[in-house]
């Protein structure tokens, strides 16, 4: 039976990826995030930038790490999903934990080899993000508070995004592309604002179904919406700090701020439903795309 099942594993993993990872979302996010961060890190110091072979290694590494973390989330949320999401692949048996762990091991090897070929620093930084994800899975299993309290969970899990951003920036420093200074911290803070705006938007609603893990349950809908908008404002503020000295054209990505402003007004005026998540996604895509394009066209 095992020998018959083995050839089916790639197909089962493929179906899992298409359903739970949604490549058109995660791959687009990873691609634009790396291009925006790398391009901005270079041009913020006055250095011309074009994507290189190392750029695509970073893109592949970030996307694969996001897939690794998604596979890990599916396993650590199994008990919750059995009750609240009984159609999830791991619950229904469409995929098994052993198959996911095997795929995660392959991902870890691939990203390590890809980055070790560039530098030991890059390999260690990407492994740190993977290791932190595994640490979180153990911590959530041991601590009900970390698992069930949404804001505490965010505070402890968000650093994995910081580690991924640190991998991109740190690998640039290790390659000699940029020199580490305060701008690196400002860029990571900008990316934090963009990500956390979307993260809060997708978990902010006037109503919460049973078992829903929503920030608006802990904070209240209005406060959660204002925090959602605040993260977008912070991202725009760091753009101004970094790029205003280079002229008004470099501030064009700030125009994406009209989206969270409109989304917040719509949510608060409606008094029902959720924060318009596609608007938040639009803010992420337009901001990162504009930063990447600006790095190429407006050095």
């Amino acid at each position: 039976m095992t020998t018959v099942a083995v050839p089916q594993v790639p197909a089962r993993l493929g179906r899992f990826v298409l359903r739970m990872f949604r490549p058109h979302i995660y791959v687009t996010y990873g691609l634009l995030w790396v291009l925006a961060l790398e391009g901005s890190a270079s041009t913020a110091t006055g250095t011309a930038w074009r994507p290189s072979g190392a750029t695509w290694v970073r893109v592949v590494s970030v996307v694969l790490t996001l897939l690794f973390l998604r596979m890990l989330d599916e396993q650590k949320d199994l008990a919750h999903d059995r009750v609240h999401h009984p159609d999830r692949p791991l619950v229904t048996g469409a995929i098994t934990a052993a198959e996911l762990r095997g795929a995660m091991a392959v991902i870890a090897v691939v990203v390590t080899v890809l980055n070790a070929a560039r530098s030991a620093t890059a390999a260690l930084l990407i492994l740190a993000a993977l290791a932190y994800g595994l640490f979180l899975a153990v911590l959530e299993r041991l601590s009900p508070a970390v698992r069930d309290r949404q804001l505490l969970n965010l505070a402890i899990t968000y650093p994995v995004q910081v580690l991924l951003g640190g991998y991109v920036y740190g690998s640039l420093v290790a390659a000699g592309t940029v020199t580490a200074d305060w701008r690196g911290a400002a860029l990571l803070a900008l990316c934090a604002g963009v990500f956390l705006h979307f993260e809060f938007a997708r978990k902010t609603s006037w109503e919460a179904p049973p078992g829903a893990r929503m920030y608006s349950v802990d904070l209240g809908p209005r406060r959660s919406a204002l925090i959602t908008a605040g993260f977008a404002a912070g991202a725009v503020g760091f753009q101004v700090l970094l790029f205003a000295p280079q002229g008004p054209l470099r501030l064009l990505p700030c125009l994406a701020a009209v989206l969270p402003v409109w989304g917040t007004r719509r949510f608060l005026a409606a008094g029902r439903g959720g924060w318009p998540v596609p608007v938040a996604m639009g803010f992420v895509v337009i901001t990162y795309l504009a930063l990447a394009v600006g790095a190429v066209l407006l050095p």
Side-chain angles (χ1 to χ4, degrees):
M1 293 179 63
T2 303
T3 55
V4 174
V6 168
Q8 299 176 8
V9 173
R12 288 158 65 87
L13 286 168
R15 288 191 292 270
F16 172 87
V17 170
L18 290 175
R19 179 178 174 189
M20 303 306 299
F21 188 65
R22 292 175 292 177
H24 64 288
I25 294 178
Y26 283 89
V27 174
T28 299
Y29 171 74
L31 170 66
L32 293 179
W33 182 21
V34 172
L35 294 180
L37 179 53
E38 181 177 319
S40 297
S42 297
T43 57
T45 61
T47 304
W49 174 77
R50 293 292 185 276
S52 64
T55 303
W56 304 118
V57 169
R58 296 181 187 107
V59 170
V60 170
S61 297
V62 167
V63 170
L64 287 178
T65 300
L66 293 174
L67 177 56
F68 179 99
L69 296 172
R70 185 67 199 86
M71 291 176 167
L72 186 60
D73 283 345
E74 191 72 7
Q75 296 171 73
K76 69 184 180 64
D77 292 341
L78 179 58
H80 180 269
D81 290 341
R82 283 193 176 117
V83 177
H84 301 287
H85 303 286
D87 61 335
R88 292 284 178 89
L90 196 55
V91 179
T92 63
I95 197 77
T96 68
E99 289 165 350
L100 290 178
R101 288 194 292 268
M104 290 165 61
V106 171
I107 289 172
V109 170
V110 169
V111 298
T112 301
V113 170
L114 282 175
N115 286 279
R118 294 285 173 178
S119 74
T121 299
L124 289 173
L125 287 172
I126 197 67
L127 283 174
L130 299 180
Y132 191 77
L134 294 172
F135 163 73
L136 290 174
V138 174
L139 183 61
E140 289 190 26
R141 187 178 300 116
L142 296 175
S143 173
V146 171
R147 183 175 61 248
D148 299 329
R149 292 171 57 184
Q150 193 69 14
L151 292 173
L152 176 62
N153 184 270
L154 176 65
I156 293 174
T157 60
Y158 178 69
V160 75
Q161 290 278 332
V162 177
L163 288 171
L164 271 178
Y167 153 72
V168 175
Y169 187 78
S171 63
L172 289 169
V173 174
T177 305
V178 301
T179 301
D181 60 16
W182 66 271
R183 284 174 284 243
L187 278 169
L188 293 180
L190 189 164
C191 293
V194 172
F195 173 82
L196 289 171
H197 169 72
F198 176 74
E199 169 67 11
F200 264 74
R202 73 188 185 94
K203 295 182 180 179
T204 294
S205 179
W206 288 99
E207 308 90 14
R213 294 173 173 176
M214 310 284 285
Y215 300 116
S216 50
V217 171
D218 295 334
L219 297 168
R222 292 183 181 276
R223 186 181 301 176
S224 188
L226 292 176
I227 291 173
T228 300
F231 282 123
V236 172
F238 279 109
Q239 289 180 59
V240 173
L241 175 66
L242 286 163
F243 301 117
Q246 299 179 12
L249 289 178
R250 287 306 307 273
L251 295 179
L252 288 176
C254 295
L255 294 177
V258 300
L259 293 174
V261 169
W262 180 81
T264 304
R265 292 188 62 181
R266 176 182 171 183
F267 176 80
L268 294 176
R272 58 184 176 83
W275 212 97
V277 174
V279 176
M281 178 60 77
F283 175 73
V284 174
V285 170
I286 292 174
T287 297
Y288 282 159
L289 181 61
L291 287 171
V293 171
V296 172
L297 299 181
L298 302 169

